[in-house]
Amino acid sequence: MNILKTFTRALAYFLLPATALAQPSVKIYDIQGASHISPFVGQRVTTTGIVTAVGFDGFYVQDLVGDDNDLTSDGMSVFMGAFCEGCPDVGDEIQMTDFVAEFIPGGADTGNLSITQFAFPEIEILSSGNDLPDPVIIGQSGRIPPNEIVISVSELPTNLQNDPGVFNPDVDGIDFYESLEGMLVKVEDPVAVSAIRRFGRFSSEFFTLGNNGEDVAPSDARTDRGGIFLQPDPDNRGDQNPERVQVQFDASPGQVGTLYPGEAPIVKVGDRLSDVTGVVGYSFGNFEVNATETVSIETASAIAPEISKLEGDKHKLTIASYNVLNLSPLTADDNQRTTLADQIVNNLDAPDIIALQEIQDNDGEADSGETDATATLLALQQAVIAAGGPAYLFFDVAPADGTSGGVPGGNIRNAYFYNADRVRLLDFKSLTPGELSSMGVSESNAFEGTRNPLMAEFKFRGQKVTVINNHLTSRFGSSPIFGGPQPFVQAGEAEREAQTTALNEVVNYLIPGRRGNRNIIVLGDLNTFEFTNDLSELLPGIGKERVLTNLIPKAEDAYTFIFDGNSQALDHAFVTRGLVRRAQLDVVHVNVDFPRMDDTVGSDHEPLLLLLNFASQNQ
């Protein structure tokens, strides 16, 4: 439970419709029912149970015996407001009377599921110091989560905020976790598939797989570094890995919480952990195990930040793509900038060209009308020099104020660094609607509201190389995978389809009649996956019309982002036909597998490093 939810929970309670007739005493598992919506919602009932955990703004209570039915949860949450005034203690047996509510954290517009709960009930303590119910084991010694299906296709479309639907916890992951809502559980022999992320002094989380990932599907779903790949589907409607279990702390490294009896552990991907005991809650679009007992790292992963083996020489050109996470020149970004500079010099071996995304303007997120980013790029240039790297030259094209999306006031844009001792800049241009129209692009406004691609032409040892640097429309605004509206909404799909189509048309324009071997690279943060139709068909073209090849499927351990425990590739590098055999791509893992707790992180993406070998025209 979180202090930020206090007001909205209280408001929901006072606005709750109610029936006038009180119901007889009912069990918690009857209140929960075999559904996402309680059969008693809106009715005033009395129930009893043992308090299993007490947090900042409420507590969890569970029937001591239960009904031995996997379809129905034996526990529920009780909201009591900030500082949990009037809360009982862990081990108290209590009787409660209240109206049954289905509370949606943040409101229905978030797409979140509802939580079956009481709010400010009448409470009578019947006894104290009782033993707690045995936790339900999530794992091979108890209940194994579904490992392929979040919700069955036969049940779609639906909205579980108001439709009970068909309830099948053995098959559907969303029903499995709902059937444990509010209960005391234990995740057996977990392994971390995301690093811990701190969201504040009293909130941090990571994702795990039970039994060291032995029950994942498919069997080769794990990454080499210990994560789990998002599974392919042309519309991203396939296996979302429902076997993932989120572990939530109301604490952080360095800060003790209320539910959790200590500081959160500093977890990285691949760490094997002690069993995780806690109560199942739901927040920000995910079911979560709110840890109530100490979690320790039993066997630490041996992963370390990677140093790419790709190195440029007199015949080999290196090009990086890097989303640098809202970088500004402000002192608040000093540590991040130092980290980025160290990575550029030491992990990427100072690439000849760097295509940058998420460069903010000179005053960062201040909404002042400023759009110039010279200070941002200059500060990064100087940090690279201080780290022992080259004195990169740089360029960008400023967007009109407030037109490029991202954090309000930041005016993020694409930009380039290049080493003038290795390459010569011939030309660059922002692919504005006017430029796209002049190239015959069918939808010249495809990038409206987001970042215009930045196209540049360089010369390296007699070879002209065209690079198109992109940051496509964000997925921000998507509804949760474990949310009410199903199938879940993927924000920006239509926009990205239009943008990838436009980029395909640009490349076709640059290669008249698709003859010759013009060296074109289309790269950047494309905000979608290699297996979607956007990147498998629209951008490259298909069959005889294919003009580009994505190098991500050819790379090892090809993920650049971890979202909710799913390792996935959002950043990509496409090349024209004549470059395929000359090209090598390395996803350099320096960020996403490691704890994100402070301002020293370089980015929430991994950089890509592309090597083009021009040693022989016959390759």
Side-chain angles (χ1 to χ4, degrees), residues 36-37 104 108 111-113 151 155-165 483-487:
H36 287 268
I37 300 173
I104 301 175
N112 288 335
L113 290 171
I151 185 168
E155 299 174 37
L156 304 178
T158 188
N159 187 341
L160 298 175
Q161 292 174 339
N162 48 47
D163 180 3
Q486 296 289 344

Side-chain angles (χ1 to χ4, degrees), residues 378-395:
L378 183 62
L380 182 58
Q381 177 207 58
Q382 294 303 304
V384 169
I385 293 171
Y392 284 111
L393 301 184
F394 55 79
F395 60 91

Side-chain angles (χ1 to χ4, degrees), residues 152-401:
S152 297
V153 173
S154 61
E155 299 174 37
L156 304 178
T158 188
N159 187 341
L160 298 175
Q161 292 174 339
N162 48 47
D163 180 3
V166 178
F167 202 67
N168 191 351
D170 290 335
V171 174
D172 293 356
I174 200 167
D175 297 342
F176 175 86
Y177 296 106
E178 174 72 23
S179 73
L180 295 168
E181 181 189 87
M183 290 187 69
L184 195 63
V185 299
K186 179 182 290 186
V187 184
E188 183 177 58
D189 191 17
V191 60
V193 292
S194 75
I196 194 165
R197 181 175 177 186
R198 174 178 173 168
F199 291 92
R201 295 178 64 195
F202 301 106
S203 180
S204 55
E205 68 185 35
F206 63 93
F207 284 77
T208 68
L209 300 170
N211 298 114
N212 194 32
E214 293 175 11
D215 297 303
V216 301
S219 58
D220 62 352
R222 302 290 301 282
T223 71
D224 291 344
R225 294 168 66 84
I228 184 169
F229 281 114
L230 180 67
Q231 297 304 306
D233 181 82
D235 299 311
N236 193 34
R237 298 295 185 194
D239 179 359
Q240 300 286 326
N241 297 318
E243 61 265 50
R244 294 169 294 120
V245 181
Q246 180 181 334
V247 178
Q248 183 74 32
F249 302 97
D250 68 341
S252 63
Q255 184 66 49
V256 176
T258 304
L259 276 173
Y260 188 69
E263 300 178 13
I266 303 175
V267 175
K268 62 182 176 298
V269 167
D271 284 348
R272 295 187 64 174
L273 309 157
S274 61
D275 292 348
V276 175
T277 298
V279 285
V280 176
Y282 181 92
S283 183
F284 296 101
N286 276 304
F287 290 98
E288 56 194 19
V289 176
N290 295 283
T292 58
E293 295 183 11
T294 301
V295 178
S296 60
I297 299 171
E298 300 285 289
T299 304
S301 168
I303 63 169
E306 290 183 337
I307 297 174
S308 180
K309 295 179 181 179
L310 301 184
E311 297 180 1
D313 61 25
K314 66 179 182 179
H315 297 296
K316 297 175 181 177
L317 175 70
T318 55
I319 305 173
S321 174
Y322 204 170
N323 179 321
V324 292
L325 186 59
N326 288 309
L327 186 67
S328 82
L330 305 182
T331 56
D333 288 353
D334 285 353
N335 289 335
Q336 178 193 2
R337 189 181 309 106
T338 298
T339 298
L340 288 168
D342 179 72
Q343 292 172 347
I344 288 169
V345 174
N346 297 308
N347 300 86
L348 303 180
D349 193 37
D352 302 320
I353 301 167
I354 308 175
L356 299 163
Q357 302 94 41
E358 288 199 16
I359 292 291
Q360 289 192 348
D361 61 34
N362 291 340
D363 59 8
E365 295 170 20
D367 198 0
S368 63
E370 173 71 80
T371 61
D372 184 71
T374 302
T376 307
L377 293 165
L378 183 62
L380 182 58
Q381 177 207 58
Q382 294 303 304
V384 169
I385 293 171
Y392 284 111
L393 301 184
F394 55 79
F395 60 91
D396 71 308
V397 175
D401 185 37

